[in-house]
Amino acid sequence: MATRWGICSAGKISHDFTVALKTLPAEDHQVVAVAARKLEDAEEFSRKHNISKAYGGYEELARDPDIDVVYVGVIHPYHLEACKLFTNAKKNVLCEKPLAMNSKEVKEILDSAQKNDVFLMEAVWTRFFPVSVEIRKLLAQEYIGEVKMVRADFGVPLLNVPRSVQKELGGGALLDLGIYCLQFINMVYNGEKPESIQASGICLETGVDETVAVNLKYSENRLATFTCSAGVQLHNDAIIGGTKGTIQVPPPMWCPTSLVVNGMETQYPVPEPYLPLNFINSTGMRYEAEEVRQCLLKGLKESKVMPHADSLLLAEIEDEIRRQVGVVYSQDSQ
């Protein structure tokens, strides 16, 4: 029986996610409804993607008995409200990253999912790409020896995008771009909490971070460093340095399709989309969608690949980075 999806929001990322679902077998994944704040937006989305039901409000989606799991694609200041709406309605949830604006909100979302006994996962799609699966396998085999250093960067010019620069829209490089670098480091170091965090950054007049550089120190003298920027183009790769070699993720590191291990490159292409995409390699969201299906079939409430503990730790580290850089959102004082 197919996993029946509801799509919360008719924006760009929801479009790409729906296109990605169509690359999976129809007997496994089916989109049955879409909801937007305006009914006409939902109806336009439903026509484009051949979805049978369109709702002009998220509450209607929450009440729909024919939905197994909701994909939350609203911008991150609204994740808390949306996630709690659906978890309180006993709906399983896949929520776009970052899961929330700060660790307090993340805890609230996780508590709601646990209380209502539903599945919830932060949609860190990078974790589920074949490249990431291969990296975890190589690290488990200690293929490059003991890992001593991880470096990642992600920078693209986004200062003309309101969502990236306005504080009330959750703007800032860290929550939008830096999370990809941070989750990669978190994956390599198996969800371990760093012993120290040193961050410096440059903020825009709007009060959000334009560029941030972070050094993380882990136990046994292991280090990690990352840079994220909404102001300049960076190389957008990642590298893991071990005592017996290196693993490199070429650009784009946030949706990787190739891997270089000790100088040898292997390609992992993603499927072609049936409609034009808004973002590069977005059909790769199919892998996180399939992870959700497999978890639901097993009766799990969280993914072992992207567990709740990782989501909370990422948010806590981001809170500390923002504290050092001087970025405060309204949600921090509520």
Side-chain angles (χ1 to χ4, degrees), residues 206-270:
T206 56
V208 302
D209 51 300
E210 180 204 276
T211 301
V212 177
V214 181
N215 292 314
L216 303 166
K217 184 178 180 183
Y218 289 82
S219 63
E220 299 174 3
N221 294 319
R222 294 169 298 150
L223 298 174
T225 179
F226 76 88
T227 307
C228 58
S229 178
V232 295
Q233 182 76 34
L234 297 176
H235 195 245
N236 300 337
D237 68 341
I239 192 161
I240 306 167
T243 53
K244 296 180 182 177
T246 60
I247 297 172
Q248 184 189 5
V249 182
M253 61 78 63
W254 68 95
C255 50
T257 54
S258 64
L259 188 64
V260 181
V261 182
N262 291 335
M264 295 287 291
E265 184 167 8
T266 307
Q267 300 291 328
Y268 300 85
V270 293

Side-chain angles (χ1 to χ4, degrees), residues 62-119:
R63 289 193 296 267
D64 191 323
D66 298 326
I67 290 169
D68 300 313
V69 56
V70 176
Y71 170 77
V72 175
V74 298
I75 61 174
H76 33 282
Y78 302 110
H79 284 181
L80 174 65
E81 182 183 359
C83 285
K84 288 182 68 178
L85 171 69
F86 296 117
T87 53
N88 285 332
K90 310 294 185 184
K91 290 283 189 282
N92 301 299
V93 172
L94 173 67
C95 178
E96 260 313 324
K97 42 90 265 351
L99 185 55
M101 294 298 293
N102 55 35
S103 59
K104 181 170 65 70
E105 288 193 347
V106 168
K107 286 176 188 172
E108 207 173 322
I109 291 171
L110 297 180
D111 287 347
S112 179
Q114 185 176 20
K115 183 182 78 172
N116 289 289
D117 195 34
V118 294
F119 174 87

